[in-house]
Amino acid sequence: MDNLSNSDENYDLGYQPSPSSLDQNDQSTTETPGYSTFSGDSFAYCRTNSETSAFSEPIDDQSCSSEPSPSCWPSLKPGGVHNQAVLTRLGMKQHKNLVDDHKLDDQEALDSELELMKERFAKLLLGEDMSGSGKGVCTAVTVSNSITNLYATVFGQNLRLEPLKHEKRAMWKREMDCLLSVCDYIVEFIPTMSQNLRDGTALEVMTSRPRADIYINLPALRKLDTMLIEILDSFRDTEFWYAEQGSMSSNSGRSGPSGSFRKIVQRKDEKWWLPVPCVPPEGLSEKARKHLRHKRDCANQIHKAAMAINSSILAEIEIPDTYMATLPKSGKACLGDSIYRYMYTADKFSPEHLLDCLNIASEHEALELADRVEASMYTWRRKACMSHSKSSWDMVKDLMSDTDRSDKNHIMAERADSLLFSLKQKYPELSQTSLDTCKIQYNRDVGQAVLESYSRVLEGLAFNIVAWIEDVIFVDRSVRSQNH
């Protein structure tokens, strides 16, 4: 009874109930994501302000007996109970302020994300034309640009073999899910069953399913995306670290071996903007080297898969009329006399031998040659189909199978196609040709735009990962060769 009376007295003196004593229906108004009033921190915080208060003397648990002893009870000074109640209210007020701060932070985060999504949605509807005059690009190009810009935002500053930051990872997943969701509504109708009416009329019942190219390629691209993120996640606790170009300290950017200073292995000038990987003076362990080789092979296979999907999607995109209008009248004008003479006179055409004779010195020269070969190929194909009065390239492509295989233009077009294929195989890092850029710019198919841009950014990420791993392997090999 004394305990009950004491509790009633404390309540009358201003005791405020803790959040844990509130009704369960009221919990939804105080809980916020990432913070709970029932956490251990909140209880410890309240106990700190009541049980260890300076206004009460410590009580020894072993001193309690059946008979009350005045020396075992804390002496209550005048105003002590009131001060304790005031302090309790102060603690609960601070606790409430913490909850309010968490609520405010969460609301601000939600508001910022909502504003960002509003901005992206507005640009999508306006076609990136902020004037609203309807002069913007089509939806397909807008979606393609959005995926490309998102990739640059998330991975543009990621130049090292390290896990992606949590904020960037969340942004990539959230916004890619939003951009890819349009593919859920791109369908095709197929007959599933047929019914015969009483009068003999046959009816076919149609049902919708995802379009074939999306149904095949989009799940594959999502899997490649997940695999690339997992490869980056595997480089958490590594034996190598990074330093800025020109730094003399091996522990720049990360704590390396104490007291070890050496000259950083210099890389080629074309990679001057990348941080330099550093390894211990004795080199990497065999386990670390095996892990690097395994992840390099995985990333290399992902790069090939993404590149194959991208090439297949680009091949299906219709060639714009603007590109066909710019083609010269003859393939010889595109290639030049020397290349044309070899392709025309050789009995057994070897594209590899031709590329070796050209002595291509830079990527710019290779890309220029690819543009010329591709233009000549479509010039010869157009001339091979000139007898047909068809203007659409889809019609020309369908009629190619009916063209005489012994026709000179058809033979030259096939040789140009094989030369272009060998050129892309020899230079896999080759940029997009003029035709590829023109296709992306004038494409109107939203599904193809999503698949092309998604595969293109994954191809670039996989290529970068392979290059970063090669840099670490090169530095490790150089350090171990210096030691021997």
Side-chain angles (χ1 to χ4, degrees):
M1 295 298 294
D2 294 335
N3 294 335
L4 292 176
S5 61
N6 289 336
S7 62
D8 294 337
E9 180 183 359
N10 290 337
Y11 186 83
D12 294 336
L13 290 173
Y15 171 77
Q16 298 294 330
S18 65
S20 60
S21 63
L22 296 177
D23 185 71
Q24 296 295 330
N25 296 330
D26 296 332
Q27 293 175 7
S28 59
T29 61
T30 59
E31 293 183 356
T32 57
Y35 184 87
S36 174
T37 56
F38 292 90
S39 63
D41 294 340
S42 62
F43 279 105
Y45 182 82
C46 294
R47 285 195 300 268
T48 303
N49 288 278
S50 60
E51 295 179 3
T52 60
S53 172
F55 295 99
S56 63
E57 298 178 357
I59 303 175
D60 187 3
D61 295 336
Q62 303 297 331
S63 62
C64 296
S65 62
S66 58
E67 297 181 2
S69 174
S71 62
C72 297
W73 293 95
S75 59
L76 296 179
K77 300 178 182 180
V81 176
H82 176 71
N83 291 334
Q84 184 175 3
V86 172
L87 188 59
T88 302
R89 289 197 300 271
L90 179 61
M92 295 307 301
K93 184 177 180 181
Q94 294 176 354
H95 179 77
K96 183 176 182 300
N97 291 337
L98 288 176
V99 175
D100 293 340
D101 291 341
H102 280 282
K103 282 185 176 181
L104 184 59
D105 294 340
D106 293 339
Q107 187 63 35
E108 290 178 354
L110 291 175
D111 291 342
S112 62
E113 291 183 5
L114 182 60
E115 290 299 324
L116 181 61
M117 296 305 296
K118 286 181 179 179
E119 179 184 356
R120 301 288 172 85
F121 185 65
K123 289 183 178 180
L124 183 64
L125 293 180
L126 295 174
E128 300 179 355
D129 178 23
M130 298 299 103
S131 65
S133 58
K135 299 179 181 179
V137 297
C138 66
T139 305
V141 178
T142 306
V143 173
S144 178
N145 292 341
S146 299
I147 295 178
T148 305
N149 294 335
L150 177 61
Y151 170 78
T153 301
V154 175
F155 297 97
Q157 300 298 325
N158 188 36
L159 305 177
R160 307 181 180 191
L161 286 174
E162 60 184 7
L164 199 62
K165 294 182 179 179
H166 176 73
E167 297 80 7
K168 294 294 184 67
R169 182 199 299 265
M171 176 187 294
W172 174 254
K173 185 179 185 305
R174 179 179 64 251
E175 299 197 18
M176 279 304 301
D177 288 343
C178 181
L179 293 172
L180 296 178
S181 63
V182 66
C183 294
D184 298 337
Y185 304 94
I186 301 178
V187 297
E188 60 184 3
F189 291 93
I190 58 172
T192 56
M193 57 181 297
S194 60
Q195 295 179 351
N196 295 324
L197 301 180
R198 294 181 178 180
D199 57 357
T201 305
L203 295 179
E204 287 187 344
V205 179
M206 308 292 288
T207 184
S208 63
R209 70 175 183 184
R211 206 171 68 183
D213 57 343
I214 296 176
Y215 180 77
I216 295 174
N217 294 312
L218 187 58
L221 291 174
R222 285 184 177 273
K223 180 62 176 179
L224 297 180
D225 187 354
T226 303
M227 294 172 65
L228 288 174
I229 298 298
E230 290 177 352
I231 290 178
L232 291 177
D233 288 340
S234 66
F235 294 99
R236 289 190 180 276
D237 298 322
T238 59
E239 298 180 8
F240 60 89
W241 61 95
Y242 287 90
E244 297 301 326
Q245 180 80 337
S247 175
M248 297 301 295
S249 173
S250 64
N251 58 1
S252 298
R254 169 182 164 176
S255 297
S258 59
S260 62
F261 294 89
R262 62 177 177 80
K263 183 178 180 180
I264 294 177
V265 177
Q266 299 297 322
R267 59 151 53 94
K268 296 181 181 180
D269 292 338
E270 64 266 17
K271 294 184 178 181
W272 59 268
W273 65 90
L274 295 177
V276 182
C278 305
V279 299
E282 66 278 5
L284 299 175
S285 64
E286 181 60 30
K287 181 180 178 181
R289 290 198 294 269
K290 184 178 179 180
H291 178 261
L292 284 171
R293 290 192 295 266
H294 174 66
K295 295 304 179 182
R296 178 192 59 184
D297 296 340
C298 293
N300 194 28
Q301 293 299 321
I302 294 174
H303 175 258
K304 291 180 179 179
M307 185 168 57
I309 294 176
N310 185 260
S311 299
S312 64
I313 297 301
L314 282 173
E316 292 297 325
I317 298 179
E318 181 180 358
I319 298 179
D321 295 335
T322 54
Y323 179 82
M324 299 298 295
T326 58
L327 293 178
K329 295 182 178 180
S330 65
K332 181 179 179 180
C334 298
L335 295 175
D337 293 336
S338 59
I339 299 178
Y340 174 79
R341 190 181 304 112
Y342 178 82
M343 293 178 61
Y344 183 76
T345 58
D347 295 334
K348 293 183 179 180
F349 176 67
S350 175
E352 292 80 9
H353 177 70
L354 177 57
L355 292 178
D356 293 337
C357 296
L358 292 176
N359 295 325
I360 301 175
S362 64
E363 181 183 348
H364 176 74
E365 294 181 4
L367 183 60
E368 183 182 3
L369 177 61
D371 287 335
R372 291 159 53 193
V373 172
E374 199 167 40
S376 66
M377 178 181 65
Y378 287 106
T379 299
W380 281 318
R381 285 183 178 179
R382 183 177 60 181
K383 293 179 66 176
C385 301
M386 194 76 73
S387 58
H388 302 279
S389 57
K390 305 289 183 180
S391 58
S392 174
W393 176 248
D394 287 335
M395 296 296 181
V396 173
K397 188 168 57 174
D398 294 337
L399 292 171
M400 283 297 296
S401 59
D402 301 331
T403 306
D404 185 8
R405 295 292 177 179
S406 61
D407 182 76
K408 181 190 71 173
N409 292 313
H410 178 76
I411 295 175
M412 295 299 292
E414 284 193 342
R415 291 185 174 182
D417 191 11
S418 63
L419 178 60
L420 181 63
F421 179 79
S422 299
L423 184 62
K424 291 183 177 181
Q425 289 290 322
K426 188 174 182 179
Y427 301 95
E429 71 279 4
L430 203 63
S431 303
Q432 291 176 332
T433 62
S434 299
L435 177 59
D436 295 339
T437 305
C438 191
K439 282 184 174 182
I440 296 172
Q441 180 181 359
Y442 292 96
N443 177 40
R444 295 295 183 269
D445 191 298
V446 177
Q448 290 178 339
V450 171
L451 296 176
E452 189 282 326
S453 56
Y454 195 16
S455 60
R456 171 161 40 87
V457 298
L458 293 182
E459 176 187 343
L461 178 58
F463 179 82
N464 289 339
I465 292 177
V466 173
W468 298 336
I469 295 178
E470 289 287 354
D471 284 346
V472 177
I473 294 177
F474 171 76
V475 172
D476 175 64
R477 189 183 300 115
S478 302
V479 171
R480 286 188 292 112
S481 62
Q482 292 175 4
N483 294 336
H484 292 82

